[in-house]
Amino acid sequence: MTEKQASPVLLLDIGNTRTKWAFIDPEKELSTIDESNSGAIAHTEISDTSKNTALAQSVFGNHGITQQIVCVSVAGSQITEQWQSICKALWPNSKWHPFKSTKDACGVSNNYTAPNSLGADRWAAIIGAKTTNPNKEILIVNAGTATTIDRVDAQGNFMGGWIIPGLSMMLASLASGTADLPNLSPNASASNQIGFGQSTRECITQGCIQSQIGAIVRAAELLPPSSKIILSGGNSDYLHSQLADTLKNKYELILDKHVVLRGLQTWVNQTSHEKNI
């Protein structure tokens, strides 16, 4: 990417069940990512190869021609290659840039034992959270298919994290591992009340939600009271209200659904100036 690059850059966050996307101006640092230039597409929507290009054209058609696509993917090669094919069909001259975890990037240091083995989506989220919250101790919670809880200190050092089954996975595991328990969805699990269930359904939903809350609260207790907690991912809405009540005024709780995309955006901005892509 050079200084003459003027076309928007497409950012793709390809997760386990859906792909989140945003178009950004590479010449602007941290340009706004909102409903006007971002969205999400479930993987089930692109399963019909014959309709993929038309679907993408209808979604991306208003955002112009892009020459650069930056992608972070944890979905596996099949879904990733589908997206590569879609983008190549729409923009034949575009370049595809996979985002990977590294030892250092964008002012953040990766203290994982094997830095390259850190999930690239987690690394992007860490960069995004630190860029928008400099000089703060941060806990980054991505509540998706898995729930990841990562700590970054005030100096920008990634200190490690936890990975636990996500809310949907917990619910599904109870249904598949037992004969008599129902298979519930996160939609059925939403509750603003902390309490003991008085039916099997309530016991399951409360148990799964509170296990998520408990892990996050336990992690928060290891941080200074002035720390920030960034909450993202598809299940974050189910956890936000209870976390806000449980943590009260001890920590600043921020709901940011675009934290991974913000990390990619920060990386694009830096590499644009360095002319590495």
Side-chain angles (χ1 to χ4, degrees), residues 89-241:
L90 289 177
W91 308 293
N93 297 320
S94 63
K95 294 182 180 179
W96 181 273
H97 304 283
F99 177 84
K100 303 292 184 181
S101 295
T102 56
K103 176 62 179 174
D104 298 282
C106 307
V108 184
S109 297
N110 183 349
N111 289 329
Y112 231 39
T113 303
N116 293 342
S117 69
L118 174 67
D121 58 334
R122 291 170 66 194
W123 185 228
I126 288 165
I127 292 170
K130 198 59 186 176
T131 300
T132 53
N133 300 278
N135 305 315
K136 282 287 187 179
E137 189 102 12
I138 304 172
L139 198 68
I140 302 143
V141 179
N142 197 332
T145 303
T147 295
T148 58
I149 305 172
D150 293 314
R151 178 181 181 179
V152 184
D153 70 13
Q155 290 71 45
N157 298 300
F158 168 52
M159 306 304 292
W162 299 343
I163 303 174
I164 62 174
L167 182 56
S168 299
M169 191 178 294
M170 283 187 173
L171 292 166
S173 68
L174 283 172
S176 63
T178 58
D180 298 323
L181 296 183
N183 190 1
L184 303 176
S185 69
N187 291 332
S189 308
S191 173
N192 292 323
Q193 301 297 320
I194 301 174
F196 294 101
Q198 294 181 317
S199 67
T200 299
R201 176 180 292 266
E202 289 178 357
C203 288
I204 293 172
T205 58
Q206 281 290 335
C208 290
I209 289 177
Q210 297 316 319
S211 63
Q212 300 278 313
I213 297 293
I216 297 166
V217 171
R218 183 70 185 97
E221 290 172 348
L222 301 176
L223 275 64
S226 60
S227 302
K228 293 188 177 185
I229 300 176
I230 312 297
L231 192 62
S232 188
N235 293 323
S236 56
D237 287 334
Y238 303 122
L239 307 178
H240 182 263
S241 60

Side-chain angles (χ1 to χ4, degrees), residues 13-20 40-47 73-76 79 82-83 121 142-146 168-169 186 233-235:
D13 171 16
I14 306 177
N16 288 296
T17 58
R18 62 177 183 158
T19 294
K20 289 184 281 187
I41 300 175
H43 293 172
T44 53
E45 293 186 62
I46 63 166
S47 59
S73 177
V74 297
I79 294 294
Q82 277 187 299
W83 273 109
D121 58 334
N142 197 332
T145 303
S168 299
M169 191 178 294
N235 293 323

